[in-house]
Amino acid sequence: MKKNNLICALVLGSGLLAAGCGGGSGSSAGNDTTPPAGPGGQPGGELTTLDSEWAHPQLPGYTLNAVTAHSTDGFISVGNRGTVLKSDDGQDWSLVAHLTSTNLNAVASNGQLLVAVGGGTSGTSGGVIFFSNDGGASWQQAATPDNTGGLNAVVWTGNTFIALGQASGSHLTSSNGQDWTRQNSGPNAATRAIAANGATLVTAHMRRLFRSTDGGSTWSESYDYGANTNYNDLIFNGTEFAAVGDIVWRFQSSESGNTNSWDVDLITGSSPPTTHSLGSASANAITFANDHYWIADNRGHLHKRAASDMESWESLGATTSNNRALNSIVHANGRFVAVGNAGSLVYSDDGENWHEVNEFDLPANSWRNMAANDDGRLVAITQSGWIGWSDDGTEWHQVPLAGDPTLTDIAWTGTRYVVSGTGVVGHSVDGSNWTMETPGATTIGFTHVAGNGDQWLAMVGGNAANDSLAICNPSGCTLSQAPDASRSLTYSVDRYLVVSFSGRVSASEDGNTWQTNISRAIPHTNLGWVRLASAGNTVVAAAPTQSETRTYVSADGGDSWSAASFPESAAITASALYHDGETFYLVDSGANMLWTSDSGADWAGQALIHPFNGVARSGGDGYFLGGAGNIHRF
């Protein structure tokens, strides 16, 4: 089957992270970083680990592509960004790990072993396989043959796992989930789904079905729809194979899977033999239980049909919020479970009455950054108009903002939290009660904020001359102009610092009068969207690409600069830069690494366990913020 059918998680290394500490202590690109793919790019030596735990393990809002039942250990779901979720009952779910930066597309079980496969669209590279022998609690990555392309489907035949994907004319086999062999036979098209009845295999492709009766040694075309349609899922229900697809919302079944043996039901459309009016959705996934087929579609709707009655399709209505697509469905242990886009999870005991899992006490998307005050209260922002605060990193409280403004940055000034966003600048002494200002036009996109005490600046980062700058205090904001082509902002000891695209540094004590070109010692004329963080007189500036050669440190508040030092083999794409009062942290979204330095000059790398967008320190604990509202304590 395609859908229903960790390297054990590497943990974040040493002390972590406080965004906005001391006022504008960190900057980021404002996008969710890519999750970990293991120690890619780590320059030699043992990867360090950290004794850490989930403080707020909210389910990630990433698309879920597949779900399967595993013996009596419940259900396993896999999805984008290497997401693996586990549930004993299909109702209460927990995040196991992010195993890879690529997508996991399918998962299968033989009752003792779980195998998950994934990858991209290449037919010759990028394929990944993970296996678990403890019910999905921990995972290891399997070695794959050279030039393994992206994998979309996996099935257990009774004695062998078979995996297929983007590569045509071949497939992979394994008896133990760990050791895989390429077989130079297979359907001559990219595979979307597979189902098995012992040695009889059926695979689904764009418009065609293929069949093998000898366990995959030889293949022949079983059915060609003859039009530009997609088959999306396949099952064998113990008696017959069944396939579903899109465009014409087709369902078809066959006891043997052989050519010319398929009964075709065009659920919508005008073609014979059977036409029904269930809308123009795509049939994404199928399961079988209680002598009925259940189909999940790309609008989050469920439909059922008696196995013996081609005329009896019944729509059960929507099951997901905002009609999010369902991508996979399974029935086991008396319960139906379906998963889909944006982390959608639904379950039912009878297939008629469905319940959506909603375990998000924080909105499950677009968390951008985090800061902490001197008493350790954590405050985090989203780009969708929400603020969350917590005193322990575990229990969080939502603060919705009027108008749902896009928020971009947050800092602690020493007396209050300050935020910037599109058309807004705000402040709060406690993180719960906020005063929001609109300096100038509501379209002004303030990208950075930093401050000291009861004054703070919000800046528009860009290439243009005369970009806007808001100079604010508790009484309100006035609009001014930032130094030309300003890209990042921080506060260092007694003045604000701005770094431009070309590496020019400007300084101001109050934001009104700027001393421009105080330093041309950053020896690079194209820093791009430079990241900036400060700790006292120490300031670090990191370019977003080739950061290993374009990161600079100043020990005198920005007057002079020198190149930072990284291991020789490092290749870094910096997505964010922070300081927590003790250590600088550089997030490498290219190789999924965290780089740390006490001085800002010499850096060491560690593997990331989970993508994160913001960091803060509360008391003796550090916390990082994932884009889906996940909080990790170390």
Side-chain angles (χ1 to χ4, degrees), residues 46-57:
E46 293 288 330
L47 284 174
T48 58
T49 60
L50 176 72
D51 183 12
S52 59
E53 63 183 356
W54 289 108
H56 186 264

Side-chain angles (χ1 to χ4, degrees), residues 506-573:
S506 302
S508 175
E509 294 183 1
D510 58 8
N512 288 295
T513 303
W514 289 87
Q515 181 185 359
T516 303
N517 301 329
I518 67 166
S519 172
R520 288 191 178 275
I522 297 183
H524 208 287
T525 59
N526 183 7
L527 289 177
W529 284 99
V530 62
R531 311 343 180 176
L532 199 62
S534 61
N537 278 319
T538 301
V539 187
V540 176
T545 59
Q546 298 176 331
S547 314
E548 69 280 3
T549 60
R550 299 198 296 164
T551 295
Y552 300 91
V553 59
S554 173
D556 54 14
D559 288 329
S560 60
W561 298 78
S562 59
S565 175
F566 291 85
E568 184 176 349
S569 58
I572 303 171
T573 302

Side-chain angles (χ1 to χ4, degrees), residues 78-362:
V78 300
N80 289 3
R81 302 189 178 188
T83 299
V84 177
L85 304 181
K86 188 177 187 298
S87 174
D88 292 334
D89 57 8
Q91 179 176 350
D92 297 312
W93 292 81
S94 61
L95 173 65
V96 176
H98 289 276
L99 302 182
T100 173
S101 60
T102 193
N103 296 340
L104 294 177
N105 300 320
V107 61
S109 169
N110 67 2
Q112 296 179 329
L113 188 71
L114 285 156
V115 172
V117 302
T121 58
S122 170
T124 57
S125 65
V128 296
I129 300 176
F130 294 86
F131 66 95
S132 171
N133 54 20
D134 60 4
S138 63
W139 294 76
Q140 299 178 60
Q141 186 166 8
T144 55
D146 292 342
N147 304 317
T148 295
L151 298 170
N152 302 324
V154 62
V155 71
W156 171 252
T157 67
N159 54 33
T160 304
F161 285 102
I162 295 180
L164 301 95
Q166 296 300 113
S168 63
S170 68
H171 65 280
L172 304 181
T173 61
S174 173
S175 61
N176 60 11
Q178 181 174 0
D179 303 305
W180 290 82
T181 303
R182 176 179 286 111
Q183 310 295 335
N184 291 317
S185 64
N188 61 351
T191 300
R192 300 171 64 88
I194 183 172
N197 174 24
T200 300
L201 311 173
V202 177
T203 57
H205 310 267
M206 277 285 291
R207 71 182 197 186
R208 295 181 291 174
L209 300 173
F210 284 80
R211 176 175 178 261
S212 171
T213 59
D214 52 16
S217 295
T218 59
W219 295 81
S220 61
E221 186 177 283
S222 172
Y223 193 91
D224 186 344
Y225 178 66
N228 186 24
T229 189
N230 291 322
Y231 287 101
N232 293 328
D233 202 9
L234 275 169
I235 62 167
F236 181 75
N237 72 355
T239 301
E240 63 182 4
F241 291 92
V244 292
D246 58 16
I247 305 301
V248 293
W249 226 103
R250 65 188 290 104
F251 169 92
Q252 61 189 76
S253 59
S254 167
E255 291 187 7
S256 66
N258 198 8
T259 304
N260 301 321
S261 70
W262 291 90
D263 293 321
V264 181
D265 181 6
L266 302 181
I267 301 173
T268 62
S270 58
S271 301
T274 307
T275 301
H276 304 287
S277 298
L278 297 182
S280 58
S282 166
N284 282 355
I286 183 172
T287 194
F288 185 84
N290 306 326
D291 199 36
H292 281 73
Y293 286 104
W294 269 262
I295 290 177
D297 72 21
N298 68 341
R299 303 170 302 168
H301 289 231
L302 271 297
H303 312 268
K304 76 170 186 176
R305 195 209 78 178
S308 58
D309 186 358
M310 289 281 281
E311 303 289 337
S312 66
W313 284 105
E314 176 186 354
S315 178
L316 304 176
T319 61
T320 62
S321 301
N322 302 318
N323 292 321
R324 292 170 176 162
L326 290 172
N327 300 321
S328 181
I329 184 172
V330 67
H331 178 267
N333 303 320
R335 175 158 283 182
F336 293 87
V337 174
V339 302
N341 287 4
S344 295
L345 293 155
V346 297
Y347 67 93
S348 172
D349 291 329
D350 57 10
E352 303 279 343
N353 301 289
W354 290 81
H355 310 278
E356 185 171 20
V357 176
N358 187 0
E359 298 184 358
F360 304 106
D361 57 346
L362 292 175

